[in-house]
Amino acid sequence: MTADEVRAAVDRVRGRIADAGGDADGITLVAVTKGHGPDVVDAALAAGLVDLGESYAQELLAKANDAARYHFIGRLQRNKVRSIAHLVHLWQSVDRLVLAAEIAARAPAARVLVQVNLTDDPERGGASPPHVAGLVEGARDLGLDVAGLMAVGPPGGPEAARDGFAEVVRLADQLGLPERSLGMSDDLEVAVQAGATIVRVGTALFGARPRFDQGGVGN
């Protein structure tokens, strides 16, 4: 993609945010470059995007650019934390205390979000809502800067995410957490209406995601 194509896509996404009643300038747009090559990262940066999202440690290492603020948004193995600790601006998917402890050891006082699981499927990652407050407290005790909560919408389309996103916002309010990372390309409007302060958008910016060659090394 070219920078002009990305700029046009950004305008469309910000238009969707505004049409949903959100502040298009106040909501942080995280451009999800996972699965795409370094050329997309270059185009995104040239288009004025700064906050980029990656889900795999090896991809982040392969494509790291000093001009970006990287958000780690995928499920993370503890043994990968050390290799990317110097690159991550915001850890968005802290879902267990042992991971929080590893981040605290490798990146003291790091800024993090606690991930909430809105399903009964443990493979989707995140803490169940009743355990979120305890995880937030534990991460803070480790010295981490817990800025907010993050969630991925459950299967079933945008409307299936509405109640869950509202629950995340209520939890964040109860815990005094200002950031709520909710919504992706398909359920962006529902997330904005629920009160998202961060949205994570890939397909709506860059099109279908190819398989980026990580040199045969997985996350």
Side-chain angles (χ1 to χ4, degrees), residues 185-198:
S185 294
D186 289 343
D187 53 16
L188 175 67
E189 286 81 3
V190 172
V192 169
Q193 291 162 5
T197 62
I198 301 171

Side-chain angles (χ1 to χ4, degrees), residues 12-219:
R12 290 192 294 271
V13 168
R14 293 201 186 283
R16 289 175 60 188
I17 291 172
D19 289 345
D23 179 355
D25 295 320
I27 292 175
T28 300
L29 174 58
V30 175
V32 179
T33 50
K34 74 172 185 178
H36 294 280
D39 57 322
V40 167
V41 172
D42 293 341
L45 293 170
L49 293 167
V50 177
D51 295 279
L52 305 185
E54 290 287 346
S55 292
Y56 301 101
Q58 285 303 118
E59 276 198 49
L60 176 52
L61 289 167
K63 297 185 291 184
N65 189 307
D66 290 342
R69 286 194 299 250
Y70 281 103
H71 297 237
F72 198 87
I73 60 174
R75 295 203 74 185
L76 183 60
Q77 299 171 15
R78 290 171 58 200
N79 64 356
K80 300 295 184 181
V81 171
R82 181 177 183 177
S83 65
I84 60 173
H86 63 295
L87 295 171
V88 177
H89 168 72
L90 178 61
W91 306 81
Q92 287 212 25
S93 50
V94 175
D95 61 355
R96 57 202 189 280
L97 196 56
V98 291
L99 177 59
E102 187 67 18
I103 293 171
R106 303 300 180 184
R111 194 163 182 258
V112 306
L113 305 182
V114 165
Q115 182 176 354
V116 185
N117 190 337
L118 298 178
T119 75
D120 295 325
D121 181 1
E123 294 302 314
R124 290 179 64 87
S128 62
H131 294 111
V132 167
L135 182 51
V136 168
E137 182 179 1
R140 283 175 168 164
D141 288 344
L142 290 165
L144 294 174
D145 176 10
V146 183
L149 304 180
M150 175 267 217
V152 177
E159 283 304 316
R162 190 175 295 277
D163 289 346
F165 285 168
E167 181 176 17
V168 172
V169 171
R170 285 193 297 269
L171 272 172
D173 286 344
Q174 291 168 6
L175 296 169
L177 300 172
E179 299 288 3
R180 303 92 191 271
S181 177
L182 304 168
M184 299 184 288
S185 294
D186 289 343
D187 53 16
L188 175 67
E189 286 81 3
V190 172
V192 169
Q193 291 162 5
T197 62
I198 301 171
V199 292
R200 311 175 305 273
V201 180
T203 304
L205 292 175
F206 308 122
R209 186 174 295 123
R211 289 181 61 86
F212 174 63
D213 183 4
Q214 301 177 51
V217 181
N219 184 39

